[in-house]
Amino acid sequence: MAEVKVDESRWQILYKQAPEPMVTEDCFEISSYPADSIKALEDGQVLVKVTHISVDPYMRGRMNKTSYGQVWNIGQPCTGGLAGVVVESKSNDFAVGDKVTGFGPWRAQIAAPAQYFKKLPDQSLSPSLFLGGLGMPGNSAYLPFKKFSKIKAGDVVFVSGAAGAVGSIFGQLAKNAGATVYGSAGSDDKITLLKELGFDDATNYKKESPADGLDRMLGGKKIDCYFDNVGGETLDAVFPRMNLHGRIICCGMISQYNLKAEDKYGLKNVSHIVSSRLSLNGFIVSDWASEMEQATTDLIELVAAGKLRPVETIVEGYQNIPKTFVALFQGENKGKMVVKVADS
Ligand SMILES: NC(=O)c1ccc[n+]([C@@H]2O[C@H](COP(=O)([O-])OP(=O)(O)OC[C@H]3O[C@@H](n4cnc5c(N)ncnc54)[C@H](OP(=O)(O)O)[C@@H]3O)[C@@H](O)[C@H]2O)c1
């Protein structure tokens, strides 16, 4: 990664070069934004000190312009979900000290119209939770769970990427609904975590193939609902193991994000979609923006009732943002990966 002298109070992370195709720290540059880029606030604006930066797998798509969201442009700041605290306000809706979430550039401070930010619904909770289990990733589990999963007591559910931000929430929701829940993840530590979260069993896909892991856990049973975070070989192994009229929810396909087109996994078992009358639902959580506030309220209640445990991995320091983003694709997080860059 390019070494540039940085003014600690004005750090920013720029998107420097496209991955080829594996994302590395060289894709980013840490620098300082000009002091005069933050002007005196206009009426209706707030100045927010950024405290937490969310790094998410979907951002990998933004790097090669295939994203369903806003793309990152070379030489411009990376953007994404973040949390912060209001340090100056010319808005009637925000007071100095309010903790907020928003979407914006990876930099130390952001001056913007107040409507770019949302006050945390519970100021006593850690802001990082609103980037994870109580925020976009939590909603990405909760909303498709309600809309597509049709999970009922006694169902068999399989979740891949199960120890991550979205998967760990989906698995717990399925367990709360009375299902038998199996997961896959990439380390023995994560398998232990999944069992602590209530998963009935889990497979380390780096030690046994997805097909072998599923056969061992299922013991002849079939899957009623599969929540797919990884795609590729795991998704292919699931098709023949689905029950008649089973549901597959396609959340993400992280195993394919850093591959060249010619190296992407070619699915072989799709004929089971027909023979087993499967339904597949893909979704992009931002399409349900109007439902997220209620979903977050529901998730807060589940946490307060002890029925849901949001797991997070917090890394400290803006200097570590590029490294932490890359680490997502090396499986170094348990639950939601967040970088804390300042105190709230
Ligand atoms: N559709 C939507 O609106 C939406 C919204 C949010 C997220 N998503 C998708 O949901 C999935 C999970 O996102 P998240 O935010 O919860 O991330 P996450 O699971 O917290 O973090 C990424 C995890 O993916 C796993 N992984 C990395 N490379 C892999 C590979 N080659 N094969 C298999 N697993 C790999 C790693 O865990 P292991 O150690 O287990 O490998 C890593 O910890 C992603 O595919 C993401 O794009 C979709």
Side-chain angles (χ1 to χ4, degrees):
M1 191 174 47
E3 290 288 334
V4 180
K5 193 164 166 29
V6 176
D7 179 324
E8 302 275 319
S9 64
R10 291 188 283 110
W11 62 265
Q12 66 177 352
I13 314 282
L14 303 178
Y15 177 37
K16 181 166 169 253
Q17 63 187 44
E20 295 180 356
M22 184 68 200
V23 62
T24 64
E25 290 180 57
D26 290 333
C27 299
F28 301 93
E29 180 178 300
I30 304 179
S31 65
S32 315
Y33 52 86
D36 62 5
S37 71
I38 297 215
K39 315 244 185 286
L41 293 187
E42 292 172 15
D43 282 346
Q45 289 193 324
V46 289
L47 180 64
V48 168
K49 176 180 77 166
V50 175
T51 59
H52 298 80
I53 293 280
S54 177
V55 290
D56 297 272
Y58 79 85
M59 293 168 173
R60 175 64 184 80
R62 296 184 155 187
M63 302 176 89
N64 46 4
K65 304 201 184 301
T66 57
S67 174
Y68 42 82
Q70 197 182 16
V71 297
W72 287 349
N73 293 309
I74 304 280
Q76 296 296 312
C78 303
T79 52
L82 47 86
V85 61
V86 175
V87 290
E88 211 182 308
S89 176
K90 286 194 103 183
S91 158
N92 294 332
D93 298 329
F94 290 91
V96 169
D98 282 346
K99 293 178 196 170
V100 298
T101 53
F103 186 93
W106 290 357
R107 56 188 275 170
Q109 291 196 320
I110 301 170
Q115 62 266 28
Y116 283 33
F117 299 100
K118 254 186 9 201
K119 231 181 273 188
L120 300 193
D122 185 335
Q123 295 277 315
S124 69
L125 293 175
S126 167
S128 58
L129 289 172
F130 293 91
L131 301 176
L134 303 179
M136 182 280 284
N139 289 176
S140 302
Y142 185 74
L143 289 168
F145 175 82
K146 278 184 51 177
K147 289 172 187 291
F148 303 135
S149 80
K150 299 182 186 153
I151 291 171
K152 56 183 186 327
D155 276 0
V156 173
V157 174
F158 175 54
V159 184
S160 59
V166 183
S168 61
I169 299 289
F170 191 91
Q172 292 181 75
L173 294 173
K175 205 57 222 163
N176 287 346
T180 299
V181 182
Y182 301 120
S184 66
S187 75
D188 288 347
D189 270 4
K190 291 186 181 185
I191 303 305
T192 303
L193 169 70
L194 292 177
K195 291 183 179 165
E196 284 168 17
L197 294 177
F199 282 64
D200 294 274
D201 205 350
T203 171
N204 178 347
Y205 70 90
K206 292 184 178 161
K207 284 193 163 170
E208 55 183 351
S209 72
D212 287 350
L214 280 169
D215 286 341
R216 178 182 59 72
M217 296 189 293
L218 290 168
K221 298 191 293 289
K222 295 272 192 172
I223 302 166
D224 297 296
C225 181
Y226 170 48
F227 190 81
D228 186 25
N229 281 312
V230 303
E233 188 186 350
T234 302
L235 174 60
D236 216 16
V238 161
F239 285 123
R241 293 167 177 82
M242 289 297 293
N243 223 341
L244 207 59
H245 300 296
R247 290 87 61 198
I248 297 181
I249 302 174
C250 299
C251 174
M253 304 208 172
I254 194 169
S255 72
Q256 307 299 296
Y257 294 175
N258 285 295
L259 299 180
K260 290 186 182 149
E262 60 270 31
D263 295 330
K264 290 192 194 283
Y265 187 91
L267 297 170
K268 303 171 186 70
N269 296 323
V270 284
S271 64
H272 288 267
I273 298 172
V274 179
S275 55
S276 298
R277 290 79 149 176
L278 304 179
S279 58
L280 277 81
N281 280 106
F283 72 92
I284 298 299
V285 69
S286 51
D287 292 348
W288 299 318
S290 63
E291 297 174 59
M292 286 194 192
E293 195 172 320
Q294 183 59 51
T296 293
T297 303
D298 296 350
L299 288 161
I300 292 172
E301 276 173 18
L302 285 172
V303 173
K307 292 183 178 157
L308 187 69
R309 182 180 143 202
V311 178
E312 31 179 34
T313 299
I314 310 275
V315 174
E316 301 236 353
Y318 72 84
Q319 304 88 338
N320 290 318
I321 294 173
K323 188 193 293 184
T324 307
F325 179 64
V326 173
L328 274 178
F329 301 96
Q330 297 160 343
E332 288 180 22
N333 58 307
K334 287 188 196 136
K336 176 67 189 131
M337 187 83 113
V338 175
V339 186
K340 182 176 176 199
V341 294
D343 290 327
S344 325

